[in-house]
Amino acid sequence: MSTFISSISSVIVVILIIALGYTLRIKDWFADTFSGNISKLIMQIALPASIFVSVQKNLTKDSLGQLFEGMLIPALGVFLTYIIAFLLIAMFRIPAGRRGTFINTVANANTIFIGMPLNMALFGNKAMQYFLIYYVINTVSTWAVGIFFMQGDAMPGKAKEQASFNWKKLLPMPLIGFIVAIVWLLTGLKLPDFATNTFTYVGNLVTPLSLIYIGIMLANIGIKNIKFDLQTILAVLGRLVIAPAVMILLIRVVAPAMGLHLAHLMANTFIIQSATPALAVLPILADQGNGDKEYATNVVALTTLLFVIVVPALMLIAG
């Protein structure tokens, strides 16, 4: 019961900061360009700094093997959710223009703007190394696989965008920061105190700014404009129920059968990350691919609003 109460408290903190961003945007404290500026600051500077410091503080050369071994379970989870998404599309005849959004909603999560601050609120900085595992898998899945389903999924009567591969998306700055941090760790060198403190202060911006960004995004979408239909509900269930259920099954049944023994904190991190909302960029990607932008917007808004109900329940299950 204490775990449930603790997770509720952590989620309330997340909700309050999101609500702050939402309220300030509604009251026009933030310009139209502010959310883009926040996003750039987080992705290009603050998050790479936070990741670098976390790797230096929480990892050792000896623990790197265990870290990379842990990638197998989230990779399997993402692979299985792709298969489930395709099966649901066939069963419920989800139309062209919505299929790419549906697949990416079920398989890929918003690890940066929701997953990371939530993980920090629930588990603290010690879980950062396990978050990074899921983040790497999710990033590769999104920009090496998921993007092709978005680009090739135009609504009937609209031209399909030609699928293309973008290395810049596959290697975003946070992932580059992770790679540099691993290389630096292997050298055995220590950063000067002033550099460590600078990176720490800048990295601490990630959590509050990420949550304020989500609040601004919800305000821009307009909660009153959210619509419910079967295909939207299926996508929400896929992201918030099916994906974490698959992850729990892999951790509780498959991993032990394979001889993999995941640390308790690693297992809990994977479960929580698997239930984070849909990617915030889905409406943009849907619009670029001539897909159903309104459907993508609905899915992102609903999963972002409803994840706060799912997380305490998952924490209770995870124990």
Side-chain angles (χ1 to χ4, degrees), residues 247-271:
M247 185 57 64
I248 291 171
L249 180 66
L250 288 172
I251 289 171
R252 297 284 175 84
V253 178
V254 177
M258 295 173 63
L260 296 175
H261 302 286
L262 304 185
H264 187 63
L265 195 55
M266 179 188 287
N268 284 352
T269 296
F270 289 170
I271 291 170

Side-chain angles (χ1 to χ4, degrees), residues 189-242:
L189 299 174
K190 286 195 68 175
L191 281 177
D193 288 343
F194 74 87
T196 301
N197 292 337
T198 301
F199 286 167
T200 301
Y201 286 134
V202 173
N204 287 342
L205 295 172
V206 172
T207 299
L209 287 183
S210 296
L211 297 176
I212 287 172
Y213 172 86
I214 290 295
I216 295 171
M217 186 196 73
L218 289 174
N220 290 339
I221 290 171
I223 294 177
K224 293 180 180 179
N225 297 326
I226 294 175
K227 298 177 182 178
F228 291 86
D229 58 47
L230 177 60
Q231 292 159 16
T232 300
I233 294 170
L234 282 173
V236 172
L237 289 175
R239 175 90 303 268
L240 300 182
V241 178
I242 294 175

Side-chain angles (χ1 to χ4, degrees), residues 91-104:
M91 289 172 59
F92 293 95
R93 298 180 180 178
I94 294 175
R98 293 188 169 190
R99 293 169 187 166
T101 296
F102 187 88
I103 292 168
N104 277 276

